């Protein structure tokens, strides 16, 4: 297990903000409630939300799952309202055994699940649920990496099966489970392509998303994987410039496909709170009253600009030609929505980014009346 843990955490994939907010806003001061692009999202005012049937405690998800098991499927929750009223899909960023613990989350309104090597590291090393299969892999002579993928693929397949009815009911809009290629391949274009094809074949489920990082080397990987009619979750997007490159890769990949495009899906995971973690440090270093007033605002401002870019790119003649062939828009997934600064409200990166044709992570806590 120690070797498996080392494999899971062997690399950190990341990047820095590549485009300044000032260059995208022509120097406009971004005050609270006046973020450039928010006017494109009229549903951002969320006073209409109700919290029917939501548990009042702030218990861990494992406890909440037990509580939600008692809910009738007829009862509505905040997550149902989020989708029904605002057309934003709440997904859950966690996966562990027993995978059946996802069933009450589906009933409560969760519409998809993502995973990554860190999530699986914690799941595998923190539970006895994986021990029997791991021992079996060792007896078969599999090495650490081979054993890791055997464990992961089993969980992904089981989760895909649980969400398949939602995938079918939503006509392929939601019900997806994401599995990430090895972090060791973050700078390897062809190996990432090969890995994505391997995972898609091994999982063999229509509602799996292959997760590929938005590194410079993997932009071409994204294009080629989409061109192979494989659905993709592009992760670790931190800048507007890189996000635009991701969209272009998606569009170019679709254009390379012959025939119907309706079975190809994609989300672009745009990381939010970590932008403030970086910008706030710089504002603190400046120390002026004007600078300090801008703390906690850059991340949502950039996210609003990202959504505006999304609307621009998925409109016009180029997109309309693809849409006629059944293409789905590559929805924005707001990632890293948990606050890093404890002085900020829990929903700082949730409330302002509620809007149509987007995905947001359901946080591992109850929101009650905070939204």
């Amino acid at each position: 297990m120690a070797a498996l843990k080392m494999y899971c955490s062997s690399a950190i994939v990341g990047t820095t903000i590549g485009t300044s907010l000032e260059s995208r806003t022509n120097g406009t001061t971004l005050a609270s409630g006046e973020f450039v692009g928010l006017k494109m999202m009229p549903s951002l005012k969320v006073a209409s939300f109700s919290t029917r049937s939501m548990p009042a405690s702030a218990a861990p998800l494992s406890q909440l799952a037990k509580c939600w098991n008692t809910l009738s499927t007829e009862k509505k929750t905040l997550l149902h309202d989020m989708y029904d009223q605002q057309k934003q899909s709440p997904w859950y960023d966690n996966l562990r055994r027993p995978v059946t613990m996802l069933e009450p989350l589906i009933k409560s309104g969760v519409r998809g699940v993502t995973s990554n090597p860190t999530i699986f590291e914690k799941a595998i090393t923190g539970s006895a649920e994986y021990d029997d299969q791991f021992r079996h892999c060792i007896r078969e002579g599999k090495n650490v990496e081979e054993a890791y993928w055997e464990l992961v693929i089993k969980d992904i397949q089981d989760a895909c099966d649980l969400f398949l009815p939602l995938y079918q009911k939503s006509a392929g809009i939601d019900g997806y489970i994401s599995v990430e290629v090895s972090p060791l391949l973050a700078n390897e274009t062809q190996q990432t392509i090969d890995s994505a094809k391997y995972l898609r074949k091994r999982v063999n489920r229509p509602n799996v998303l292959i997760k590929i990082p938005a590194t410079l080397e993997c932009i071409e990987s994204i294009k080629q994987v989409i061109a192979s009619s494989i659905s993709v979750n592009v992760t670790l997007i931190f800048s507007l410039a890189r996000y635009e490159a991701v969209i272009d890769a998606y569009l170019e990949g679709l254009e390379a496909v012959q025939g119907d495009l309706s079975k190809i899906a994609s989300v672009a995971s745009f990381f939010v709170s970590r932008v403030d973690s970086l910008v706030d440090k710089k504002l603190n270093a400046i120390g002026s009253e004007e600078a300090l007033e801008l703390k906690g605002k850059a991340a949502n401002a950039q996210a609003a600009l990202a959504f505006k870019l999304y609307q621009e790119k998925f409109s016009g003649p180029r997109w309309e030609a693809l849409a006629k062939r059944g293409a789905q828009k590559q929805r924005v997934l707001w990632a890293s929505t948990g606050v890093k600064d404890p002085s900020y409200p829990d929903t700082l990166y949730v409330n302002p980014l509620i809007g149509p044709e987007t995905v947001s992570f359901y946080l591992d806590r109850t929101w009650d009346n905070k939204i």
Side-chain angles (χ1 to χ4, degrees), residues 86-106:
Q86 307 296 329
K87 301 306 177 186
Q88 183 176 72
S89 298
W91 287 10
Y92 182 53
D93 189 30
N94 200 2
L95 183 57
R96 67 167 81 92
R97 295 182 188 178
V99 175
T100 51
M101 74 171 292
L102 295 172
E103 290 177 344
L105 298 185
I106 297 173

Side-chain angles (χ1 to χ4, degrees), residues 66-84:
K66 295 177 183 178
C67 175
W68 277 328
N69 254 330
T70 65
L71 291 176
S72 165
T73 55
E74 299 298 320
K75 292 184 178 180
K76 292 285 189 175
T77 71
L78 175 67
L79 302 185
H80 289 116
D81 287 343
M82 179 177 284
Y83 182 76
D84 293 341

Side-chain angles (χ1 to χ4, degrees), residues 143-156:
N143 61 32
V144 169
E145 183 171 357
E146 291 169 337
Y148 168 81
W149 286 116
E150 290 297 320
L151 302 179
V152 167
I153 288 170
K154 177 67 165 61
D155 280 8
I156 296 297

Side-chain angles (χ1 to χ4, degrees), residues 273-293:
S273 68
R274 298 183 191 184
V275 173
D276 275 343
S277 296
L278 175 63
V279 174
D280 283 0
K281 290 179 180 179
K282 296 181 180 295
L283 294 172
N284 281 330
I286 296 171
S288 67
E289 181 178 350
E290 181 181 17
L292 296 178
E293 286 179 354

